[in-house]
Structure formats: structure tokens, C-alpha cells
Amino acid sequence: MLEVANLSVGRGGISLLNNVSFSLKAGQGLVLRGPNGIGKTSLLRSVAGLQRPLCGDISLDGSIAYAAHVDGNKGQLTVRENLNFWADVYGSEMMEVALIAFKLHDLGQRPAANLSAGQQRRLSLARMLVTGCKVWVMDEPTVSLDQENTALFRVAVERHLQLGGIALLSSHSELELNTETLDLVQFRASQRIIVSAFDKALE
Amino acid sequence: MSIQSGIKYFWSSFWQLANPKIFMGWSGLWLPWVIACTVICLSTGLIWGFFFTPDDVRQGSTVKIIYLHVPSALMAINGYFLIVVGSLFWLIRRQHVSVLAAKAAAPVGMTMTLIALATGAIWGQPMWGTYWVWDPRLTSFLILFLFYIGYLALWKAIEDEDKAADLTSVLALVGAVFAVLSRYAVLFWNQGLHQGTTVTIADGVNQENISSVFFQPLLLSMVGFGLLFFALLLVGTRTEVRARRLKVLEAFERAH
Amino acid sequence: MIQVFRRDVVLSIRSGGGFGLALIFFLIVVVLVPFALGPDQSLLAKIGPGLLWLGALLACLLSLDRIFGMDYEDGTLDLLATSPLPLEGVYLAKSAAHWLTTGLPIALAAPVLGVLLNLNFYVSGVLCLSLLLGTPTLSLIGSFGATLTLGVKRGGLLLSLLVLPLYIPTLIFGALAVHAAALGHTFEGPLIFISAISLGAIAILPFFSAAALRINLS
């Protein structure tokens, strides 16, 4: 269960989104749509607990796994070592499953630095499976994936939802996932500058 | 008014200063008076000390630098103490005025440290025959100077104002622990030439250490330096508050 | 935590920049000393302990900005911050990995380099011991500084500026222990102080560092 109520987020003194509310039950997914710079990343970072929202509540039961729009793979480590590290961190045994799900088993011994951009992305998506977390929060997950690999991703997300997981994704293009979408344009903040209580008191 | 309600009133009005508007009004009202008191105390204390006290039997007229050296050294330490207190208030109560005061205290405290070091060197030359010795006290002040530089450099390096306030506050707290640690470490390292503390507030005029002829003007210049520090702190904090206000206005200008 | 430690050690061994470099830098500093001060054996023996401590301190500085910098740039730090690991633990693991790849090799190599500076066997032993007890603090303070300057572009110089004053107590007691040994005095006192500073750093710095990391990530 992931519930977001009246969430407002901003970045670098600029207010981006106001009063975003949605609620996801087990097995539900949601794709956040919107043009570049609207605040998708800030919203997802707030949900993941990396960034303090301007106001609003986020309630969540279950653990959360976050994938940023950069991959976060270590070039000096092999594909297996990269995944193994996260498997250790999360205490999970999903590594072999993840390798197969994203067709990485043949690349297991290859250093991540030698992977193509699409392969890098697949590795970072495989990491989500490895975490074993119930809630997936993914920022632009299909960037640099071709059609075939996007299909792999789609299967993985749908499987995750079937097993009772939750997925919150962002994308600036159509993902063709069997989930609801939420257009963020309607929440775009009208007052762009964040005025803190301190600054307000000065007026 | 009973003492208790007086204290209560003091604290409630003290916390109101966290409101920048109340702070600006209050500080604008008091600043001229503080400056006036500073000028009176400092000029009386220094003129009295420099021209109307006898020369020391042993140290001659060089002793008169004490009227600059001791008060500035005191303010150098108080400056860092103030940074720590301001940072704590910011981290705990998220009050901008306190962290801006900490930011404003840093250059003042750093200058006081420099004055203490420079006057110490000028005093030390005829006394010890050299401008600089690696004495624990002198060394501690040099270390304090480095801490001030680090604190200010971190403020300068981080663009986001609130992030800079957070991170410099963390540095100030950790720095305080290590500054105290360094103070005691240098005592082990070198026993030193510097004379012991001649002025202690606790026993006021200690006849063995310093005679009242020197002590009275010294006390006056110490009060004067304290007021000077306070006045500069107010000016600095007011500038910081205005600079912040300016940034917000500029951001509005850009947005519209 | 152990996973982060293991991964950081592997990374610094494989990336070539970390493991050997600090040690080689340390060696070069020691080799340069006689060129600057002359080959007088008794002078070298006198200043050797302090110089070796200073060299160790500077060598530790070299790789500090990589402790968190690499993970910050490639996004790994975001992923670690959202993982079940506490950031305090991440900080301790990374400091430990830094110590294993810089502090420990330097402490072990110091007696060998002591030969170049005419230190006798006994003094070299005390030097090694003092470095073993003191270099953990250097790594802990250094990675605390690294958490502060994480978001600063080209923050390496600023990092040294912040960290070096914090190194002063450790340097004082470290060099003091070795000097005391060289003069035939007891050296336990300063060593106890170094260990106390190390333990104090382990106790308080994780909380400040984790706070600084959270501030920088937000």
C-alpha cells in the first residue's frame, strides 16, 4: 500500500508540483507522465525518502526499491558482482532469477564498463528484482532500451504486479503498460518560487 | 514584576527575534545605541590605558598592548562559541536568524583572531626576542584561525543557502570538539613561554597578577571590545538578512 | 555493512588509483626529504618520526574525495541511501575500506622507510604502532570531510582545508609518541590519547556524517 496525499515538491528554490494525491494498492502500478522538467524526478525522490517534500504525506507499508535515471552500476565490477552486492545488501536470493529475466546470464562475467547503454539499463532493472522489495519506484526506466528490451521490462513489471507488488514509474513517453497513468501537467505549481516562512515574514 | 515572570518575558521576546522582521526592527532600533556605547567604552578604555597608566616595571611601555591583545583574544574565542550556538539553534529549531548570525560572526571572529595574533607578535618581540614562538597559546590561536577559514570556505563553496547553513553547522559542531581537543593536545606538545592568565573574572583584581591601575582600563576595553563585537555582529546579520531577501526578490523578478 | 566494505576494497584495488598510489606517494615524500634537508644522518634520525607522520597524513588526503565522490556521481549513493543499510553504517564501512587501502599499508611500510631516515629498530616499531592506532582516525575524519564537500565541484582543495585542522590532535600525539620513544622516554601516554581520539571519532562522527550525507542528497 502506497498512499500519497497532497504532496508538493520543488527543487533548487523552484516549486514544481502542488497537491499530488494518489493511492496504490497491492498489485497496482502507476505511470507518471509529463514533459521534461515538470518534477517527475523530485516527486519520485520524495516518495523514495531521498528528498524532503515541501508539504504533504507519504504513507507506505513494505520496503521500497528506487532506481534513478542514472544506472548506478560499477564499471570495474562484473555484472554478477554488481548484482551480488545488492543481493547481499537486501539479503535476497533472487539473483539468478533476475539474470534470466533480463537476459543477462550470458554477460555475467563481463565488467559493467564494457556493457552497452541498453545492457547497463537492463542491469539496473535487474537490480530492482534482486532487492525483493514490494514497492518499485523507477525514474524513466525505459530510457535507452530498444523495443525488444522494453518488452522484457514490461513483462518484469507485470509479473511484479501479479505477485502483489506495487510499481510507481515515470516516463515522458508511452510505456504501453497495463497500468493507470497520471498526467502531472494538471498539478503544475502556479506559484513558481518557493517562499519559506522566513522569507514570508520579511514581506 | 517578579524575577520568574521577568525571565519568562525575556525568553519569549528572545525567541521572537527568530522572526526576521522583528529582528530587523529590534536591531535597527538598538544598533545606534550599541555603537555609541562601543565608541565610549573603547575610546575611554584605550586612551586611559595608553596614556594614563604607568609603565610596567619589567615590561616597560610594551605592556600597554595588553589593552588590544587580551580583549581581542577573548572575542576570538567568543566568536567561535557564538558560531557553535547559532549552528545548534539552526539545526534544532531551524531558525534562519541564528545561522545567519553565526555566518556573520565568522569574519568578525577571524579578524579578532588575527588582531590577537598580530598584537601578540608585536608584544612578544621585545619580551621574548622573537615575533613568533610555538607556544601552546599562540599555536591554539593559529589553529582557531584555521578553523575560521575552513568554516567560511565551506559557506562560500556551497551555492544552495539552506544546504550551506546545514553543512556549515555540522562542521562547526565537529570543529568545536576538535578545537578543544587541539587546545589540550598542544599543551602536551610544548609547555610554552606565554605568561599565565593575568586577568580572571572570578577573582576580579588579583593583586599578585595585575594591579588595579592596569586592570580598570583593561576591563573597560574588554567591555568595549565585547560591544564592538556585538555591534559588528548586528550589522553583519542585518546584511545577511537583507542579502537573502534580495535573492528572493531577484528570483521573483526572474520568474515573472 | 560488510558488503559495502568488501565492495569498496575491491573497487579501489581494481581502479588502480587507490591502493598503491597513496603508498607510492608516501615513499616519494620520504625520498625527497634528504634532498631538501641534506644527508646528515643524525638530523634525519631526529626529524624522521615527525616527517613520516606528516607524510602519512598527506598520503591519506589523496584519495579522500573518492570515498563518497564516485558513488555520488554515478548514483550509487542514492541507491545506498534508499537501501535498508543505515547511512551511519555506510560511512563506517567506507572509512574502514579507506583505512585498509591507505592507512594500513602506510603504517606497515613506515618502518621500512624509517631505515631511509636512519631510525633504529625500536623507534620504527613505535612509529608503526602509533600509525596503526592513529591512521583509522585519519580515515574517519577524512571521510567525514568528504561527506561535507560532496556537492562541491572540484572540492578536493576545500576538503584538505577542512580536514587538515581536524588532523592536528592526532598528528601531535602520534609524533609525540615516536619522539618520546626516540629519546628513551615512555610513550604509552600519547598512544593512549591517539586510541582515545580514534574511539571518540568512531563514536560521534558516524552521526554527523550521515546527517551531512542526507543533507547533500536531498
Side-chain angles (χ1 to χ4, degrees):
Chain A
M1 176 87 172
L2 169 69
E3 201 168 330
V4 166
N6 299 320
L7 193 72
S8 298
V9 294
R11 170 174 35 82
I14 306 285
S15 173
L16 296 169
L17 295 167
N18 265 342
N19 285 321
V20 183
S21 299
F22 55 83
S23 152
L24 297 175
K25 285 197 273 295
Q28 280 188 317
L30 182 67
V31 179
L32 303 171
R33 292 288 307 271
N36 287 334
I38 194 162
K40 296 189 291 286
T41 299
S42 297
L43 181 60
L44 292 181
R45 285 178 71 85
S46 295
V47 172
L50 283 169
Q51 183 179 329
R52 207 179 297 159
L54 299 175
C55 62
D57 293 311
I58 299 159
S59 55
L60 163 81
D61 40 75
S63 51
I64 205 164
Y66 171 72
H69 56 68
V70 285
D71 291 319
N73 302 323
K74 287 290 173 192
Q76 299 98 322
L77 301 182
T78 65
V79 169
R80 267 181 183 278
E81 284 169 329
N82 266 300
L83 280 182
N84 201 17
F85 169 69
W86 293 109
D88 278 355
V89 167
Y90 284 89
S92 117
E93 282 155 13
M94 298 281 285
M95 201 174 107
E96 299 304 324
V97 180
L99 281 171
I100 292 165
F102 285 94
K103 297 206 168 135
L104 289 165
H105 43 282
D106 293 337
L107 302 169
Q109 299 306 326
R110 193 173 311 171
N114 298 348
L115 297 179
S116 73
Q119 289 165 333
Q120 292 264 11
R121 181 100 300 216
R122 264 152 62 200
L123 177 53
S124 78
L125 294 176
R127 190 190 73 88
M128 298 299 276
L129 210 55
V130 163
T131 63
C133 289
K134 208 170 159 204
V135 183
W136 287 4
V137 176
M138 306 168 91
D139 198 355
E140 302 278 3
T142 54
V143 165
S144 66
L145 288 187
D146 59 16
Q147 271 190 336
E148 190 187 340
N149 287 322
T150 309
L152 277 183
F153 162 76
R154 222 172 277 141
V155 170
V157 171
E158 268 155 18
R159 175 113 188 90
H160 176 66
L161 296 178
Q162 273 164 19
L163 291 170
I166 291 174
L168 180 64
L169 319 166
S170 79
S171 175
H172 60 272
S173 60
E174 187 58 58
L175 281 184
E176 295 169 26
L177 269 171
N178 191 15
T179 58
E180 286 175 52
T181 53
L182 183 67
D183 197 346
L184 289 178
V185 175
Q186 54 183 313
F187 302 109
R188 198 196 287 264
S190 50
Q191 163 88 5
R192 299 294 281 167
I193 308 294
I194 299 170
V195 184
S196 67
F198 174 82
D199 299 317
K200 225 174 243 161
L202 267 174
E203 281 176 24
Chain B
M1 204 192 318
S2 72
I3 294 173
Q4 257 178 342
S5 67
I7 291 172
K8 222 173 179 178
Y9 175 74
F10 171 77
W11 278 114
S12 68
S13 38
F14 179 75
W15 288 124
Q16 274 185 0
L17 291 180
N19 179 322
K21 201 159 195 182
I22 294 179
F23 170 80
M24 289 305 269
W26 177 88
S27 58
L29 193 70
W30 281 94
L31 188 57
W33 298 99
V34 177
I35 291 173
C37 291
T38 307
V39 171
I40 292 169
C41 284
L42 212 53
S43 53
T44 318
L46 289 182
I47 290 170
W48 183 1
F50 283 147
F51 300 110
F52 300 100
T53 55
D55 286 355
D56 184 74
V57 186
R58 213 157 35 83
Q59 304 193 357
S61 56
T62 48
V63 75
K64 292 184 173 178
I65 210 161
I66 195 174
Y67 302 110
L68 286 174
H69 180 69
V70 172
S72 60
L74 203 64
M75 287 307 126
I77 296 167
N78 284 358
Y80 201 82
F81 183 69
L82 222 128
I83 292 175
V84 174
V85 173
S87 302
L88 261 180
F89 276 144
W90 163 250
L91 288 179
I92 296 168
R93 297 185 66 129
R94 309 304 291 177
Q95 279 163 352
H96 284 84
V97 172
S98 75
V99 79
L100 292 180
K103 187 184 180 185
V108 185
M110 192 171 84
T111 313
M112 292 292 180
T113 317
L114 264 185
I115 294 175
L117 283 170
T119 52
I122 295 166
W123 194 359
Q125 212 284 327
M127 289 306 302
W128 306 323
T130 168
Y131 285 106
W132 183 262
V133 284
W134 286 95
D135 160 274
R137 260 176 217 239
L138 275 72
T139 313
S140 306
F141 270 83
L142 202 57
I143 295 172
L144 184 65
F145 183 64
L146 296 180
F147 276 98
Y148 273 122
I149 291 181
Y151 178 78
L152 278 170
L154 191 61
W155 260 113
K156 282 260 184 301
I158 301 166
E159 276 171 32
D160 184 305
E161 290 275 318
D162 280 5
K163 215 176 248 188
D166 282 335
L167 292 172
T168 52
S169 298
V170 171
L171 176 68
L173 295 187
V174 173
V177 174
F178 278 88
V180 172
L181 208 59
S182 306
R183 173 81 188 87
Y184 289 98
V186 291
L187 284 180
F188 281 86
W189 167 72
N190 190 345
Q191 297 305 321
L193 284 174
H194 197 290
Q195 53 186 305
T197 309
T198 42
V199 185
T200 46
I201 304 296
D203 53 4
V205 187
N206 186 331
Q207 287 298 331
E208 280 175 33
N209 278 337
I210 183 168
S211 76
S212 59
V213 183
F214 298 115
F215 181 70
Q216 283 157 2
L218 179 58
L219 193 64
L220 206 58
S221 31
M222 271 163 44
V223 173
F225 260 82
L227 286 167
L228 175 67
F229 187 93
F230 188 49
L232 290 174
L233 182 67
L234 283 183
V235 173
T237 314
R238 284 168 67 80
T239 312
E240 294 294 342
V241 170
R242 285 191 176 125
R244 213 189 131 97
R245 174 88 186 117
L246 198 64
K247 262 193 188 158
V248 175
L249 288 178
E250 272 176 357
F252 266 110
E253 202 61 37
R254 254 179 278 128
H256 295 299
Chain C
M1 275 159 67
I2 189 81
Q3 319 85 331
V4 179
F5 170 73
R6 214 183 304 134
R7 188 198 65 147
D8 268 35
V9 172
V10 170
L11 280 176
S12 74
I13 291 172
R14 286 199 194 158
S15 61
F19 197 66
L21 213 60
L23 197 59
I24 294 165
F25 176 82
F26 185 50
L27 171 74
I28 291 175
V29 168
V30 173
V31 169
L32 287 181
V33 167
F35 298 143
L37 298 172
D40 180 359
Q41 292 281 32
S42 62
L43 176 71
L44 288 179
K46 192 156 181 266
I47 56 170
L51 276 169
L52 285 167
W53 251 97
L54 199 60
L57 202 134
L58 294 176
C60 264
L61 273 183
L62 283 181
S63 48
L64 285 184
D65 55 344
R66 299 165 63 108
I67 300 180
F68 286 102
M70 307 280 259
D71 281 357
Y72 181 69
E73 277 161 26
D74 70 11
T76 310
L77 207 53
D78 280 340
L79 306 182
L80 281 172
T82 52
S83 79
L85 295 177
L87 281 177
E88 287 84 354
V90 172
Y91 159 79
L92 280 176
K94 281 180 163 291
S95 308
H98 180 260
W99 177 73
L100 193 81
T101 52
T102 58
L104 183 65
I106 285 171
L108 296 179
V112 181
L113 297 180
V115 175
L116 294 178
L117 297 180
N118 197 25
L119 298 187
N120 65 38
F121 190 66
Y122 171 67
V123 175
S124 290
V126 176
L127 173 72
C128 179
L129 191 60
S130 72
L131 281 170
L132 279 177
L133 292 171
T135 43
T137 320
L138 302 185
S139 292
L140 285 163
I141 295 174
S143 50
F144 161 70
T147 64
L148 288 179
T149 57
L150 208 53
V152 180
K153 290 243 155 49
R154 282 187 292 279
L157 200 61
L158 176 69
L159 180 57
S160 327
L161 194 72
L162 299 184
V163 162
L164 281 175
L166 302 178
Y167 279 172
I168 290 171
T170 312
L171 175 63
I172 287 178
F173 287 122
L176 209 58
V178 191
H179 278 300
L183 294 172
H185 301 318
T186 58
F187 52 83
E188 286 86 355
L191 285 188
I192 289 171
F193 275 111
I194 300 183
S195 320
I197 296 172
S198 284
L199 292 175
I202 292 179
I204 66 162
L205 286 181
F207 303 104
F208 287 106
S209 305
L213 282 177
R214 276 185 210 106
I215 294 162
N216 264 317
L217 287 178
S218 71

